Structure formats: structure tokens, C-alpha cells
């Protein structure tokens, strides 16, 4: 099953990938019913639903994306709770302390749970109970940076760049930190993980109201082939699609 997702990540046909991921996710859920604590299944379900929502749902159906992100988060929490020290409802201090009990091998579970959790929060910014969890997601990503900052093409830096770049300063935004994390992410993935440019433009460039930078970042996506990173070809194809959607919103953003 792991190999199946590796092959999907290398796919360039969006329609084929969307149908394949959806069918694989339902198969995984069926398998989980007979083996509910299987770590590999929980990881694949968390990663799969997060990726599906981000790549194929969020831009066209926000309410449906919320459902999938929440489902992904719940699978991830199930996996993390196999560590007896972890409790998603703990106080922030106790939550942060529990992260030290995880090992480098736990980084995929932590990362994809945090991506699902953070994405769900980003679509529920008017819900205080959702926003209250954001410091915990931030704590997970900071732990990942300390433990293995290179994981998933510098993904924790990517997340923090988007987090600090998407909010006004009065609500915890920090354009300087956003830029620092995006630049570090690009350094780690050598500018080949094209989704980095999408969110750099969508968050930081919009926050500082720099239309030239915005167009320049999206232009880099146009210039590069999705094959620049074969093992993430699908993500790069999705990045190109998202870049076009974002470019069409230029007049709304500036």
C-alpha cells in the first residue's frame, strides 16, 4: 500500500490521481475496521485525506475540505495517542512537554497530523474553539524543526512561513519570520517543491502587499517543470494549478 502512494505521488494526470486517491482511501478505511490500531494504516489515512483535501477539494468546496481535514486529523490523533504521554486536550505546557517523548521515527505522524489540524483551523478562523488549538499545531512544527527540519522538503518551515504570513501582526502574524521560514524551506528543497512558491505568494507577498514579489514567485512556478522533483510530481502539478487560481485573484488581493 505504501508503494501505491509512492506511485501516486509521481503521477502527473490530476484526474487519474484524484480518482485513485479517493478509491484508495476508502479501501484503507475498510482495512482499518479489521485492524483499528495499525500504525501504517492510520498514517496513510491521515496523509491521504490531508493531501486529497489540499490538492483536490479546498479550492472548490471549502465545507467538504473541512470534513476531510478533520477526518485526517482524527486519524492522526489516533496514531499519536499510541504514545501514552500524548493528549491533544492537555494544557499547552503539558502538550509541549509530551512532544519530547516522540522520536525522529514519529515525525511523519506528527507532521501530517499537524498539517491536517492546521488546515482545518485555517478554514475555521471564526470558530474560537478551533483557533485555540493553533499554538499546539505551532508547537508540533517547532518540535519537527528541532528534530528533523528536512522532513518533507522542509515542510515544517513551509507551514510556519504560511502561518506567520497569513495573519495580521495584531493576531500573531510576523512577516519577518514568515520570510525566514519560506527561504529556509526553499533552501532545503532547492526550490524544487513548487508548492512553497504558491504559499509564499499567497501569504507573505499578500501580507506585505508586494505585487511584484507575488508575480515573481508565481512566475517561478511557470518556469519550472513538474518533473524537477519526480517523487513529488503530483504535488508540483497541483502547485501549478493553484498558482493559476491565485493569479486570477490578483485584483482582489492587491
Amino acid at each position: 500500500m505504501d508503494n501505491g502512494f509512492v506511485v501516486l505521488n509521481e503521477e502527473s494526470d490530476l484526474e487519474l490521481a484524484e480518482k485513485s486517491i479517493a478509491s484508495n482511501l476508502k479501501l484503507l478505511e475498510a482495512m482499518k475496521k479489521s485492524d483499528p490500531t495499525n500504525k501504517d494504516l492510520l498514517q496513510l489515512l491521515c496523509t491521504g485525506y490531508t493531501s486529497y483535501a489540499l490538492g483536490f477539494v479546498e479550492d472548490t468546496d471549502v465545507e467538504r475540505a473541512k470534513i476531510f481535514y478533520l477526518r485526517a486529523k482524527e486519524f492522526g490523533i489516533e496514531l499519536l495517542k499510541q504514545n501514552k504521554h500524548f493528549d491533544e486536550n492537555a494544557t499547552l505546557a503539558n502538550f509541549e512537554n509530551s512532544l519530547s517523548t516522540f522520536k525522529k521515527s514519529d515525525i511523519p505522524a506528527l507532521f501530517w497530523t499537524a498539517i491536517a489540524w492546521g488546515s482545518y483551523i485555517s478554514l475555521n478562523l471564526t470558530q474560537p474553539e478551533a483557533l485555540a488549538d493553533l499554538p499546539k499545531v505551532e508547537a508540533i512544527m517547532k518540535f519537527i524543526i528541532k528534530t528533523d527540519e528536512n522532513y518533507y522538503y522542509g515542510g515544517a518551515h513551509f507551514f510556519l512561513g504560511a502561518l506567520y504570513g497569513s495573519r495580521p501582526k495584531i493576531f500573531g502574524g510576523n512577516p519577518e519570520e514568515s520570510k525566514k521560514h519560506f527561504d529556509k524551506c526553499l533552501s532545503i528543497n532547492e526550490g524544487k517543491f513548487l508548492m512553497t512558491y504558491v504559499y509564499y505568494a499567497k501569504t507573505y507577498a499578500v501580507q506585505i502587499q508586494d505585487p511584484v514579489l507575488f508575480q515573481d514567485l508565481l512566475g517561478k512556478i511557470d518556469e519550472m517543470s513538474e518533473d524537477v522533483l519526480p517523487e513529488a510530481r503530483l504535488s508540483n502539478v497541483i502547485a501549478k494549478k493553484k498558482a493559476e487560481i491565485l493569479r486570477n485573484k490578483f485584483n482582489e488581493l492587491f
Side-chain angles (χ1 to χ4, degrees):
M1 192 61 72
D2 279 317
N3 289 336
F5 273 89
V6 169
V7 171
L8 277 173
N9 286 332
E10 296 173 350
E11 181 56 59
S12 61
D13 187 298
L14 288 179
E15 184 177 355
L16 176 60
E18 181 177 4
K19 291 178 179 178
S20 298
I21 292 173
S23 61
N24 274 314
L25 287 171
K26 296 315 296 180
L27 174 60
L28 288 169
E29 286 197 79
M31 294 170 66
K32 179 182 178 292
K33 285 187 179 295
S34 59
D35 193 0
T37 61
N38 185 292
K39 290 184 177 182
D40 292 334
L41 291 176
L42 288 168
Q43 180 68 68
L44 287 169
L45 283 163
C46 177
T47 304
Y49 271 112
T50 303
S51 301
Y52 184 70
L54 177 66
F56 301 104
V57 184
E58 185 178 295
D59 293 319
T60 56
D61 192 338
V62 170
E63 292 305 314
R64 189 163 167 253
K66 289 179 185 180
I67 293 170
F68 291 142
Y69 281 134
L70 185 59
R71 192 177 300 179
K73 175 209 164 187
E74 289 171 349
F75 285 128
I77 292 294
E78 279 188 59
L79 178 54
L80 295 178
K81 288 178 79 169
Q82 292 189 24
N83 176 336
K84 64 181 181 180
H85 300 287
F86 180 82
D87 178 6
E88 77 275 21
N89 297 314
T91 64
L92 180 59
N94 288 338
F95 183 89
E96 290 175 334
N97 288 336
S98 76
L99 294 177
S100 65
T101 66
F102 287 98
K103 299 174 291 187
K104 187 174 180 179
S105 59
D106 298 312
I107 292 300
L110 288 164
F111 177 79
W112 287 102
T113 302
I115 289 288
W117 201 348
S119 298
Y120 176 77
I121 292 170
S122 73
L123 298 182
N124 288 275
L125 295 177
T126 60
Q127 303 298 320
E129 65 274 16
L131 278 172
D133 285 337
L134 194 54
K136 293 179 179 178
V137 179
E138 186 177 356
I140 293 175
M141 290 304 187
K142 288 181 176 179
F143 174 77
I144 292 172
I145 286 174
K146 289 180 182 178
T147 308
D148 184 10
E149 68 174 348
N150 293 327
Y151 179 73
Y152 200 71
Y153 316 110
H157 285 290
F158 174 108
F159 180 90
L160 291 179
L163 175 64
Y164 297 138
S166 61
R167 296 182 292 173
K169 286 186 177 182
I170 193 172
F171 294 119
N174 188 325
E176 293 79 16
E177 283 295 303
S178 174
K179 184 179 188 304
K180 182 182 78 173
H181 283 292
F182 276 126
D183 287 345
K184 182 61 176 179
C185 182
L186 288 170
S187 174
I188 290 170
N189 63 51
E190 300 179 332
K192 296 178 180 179
F193 188 67
L194 303 186
M195 200 70 77
T196 315
Y197 295 112
V198 175
Y199 281 84
Y200 205 160
K202 183 179 181 179
T203 59
Y204 174 77
V206 172
Q207 185 190 55
I208 66 168
Q209 284 294 284
D210 188 335
V212 175
L213 176 62
F214 179 88
Q215 295 286 23
D216 181 58
L217 289 167
L218 297 184
K220 291 182 184 300
I221 298 171
D222 296 335
E223 294 167 4
M224 299 180 74
S225 166
E226 61 264 22
D227 296 326
V228 70
L229 195 62
E231 64 270 28
R233 186 178 290 112
L234 177 59
S235 178
N236 280 348
V237 173
I238 291 170
K240 285 179 174 287
K241 181 186 74 170
K242 285 182 174 289
E244 191 59 32
I245 293 171
L246 194 56
R247 186 179 283 112
N248 290 336
K249 295 181 178 179
F250 181 86
N251 291 333
E252 300 173 32
L253 300 171
F254 297 96

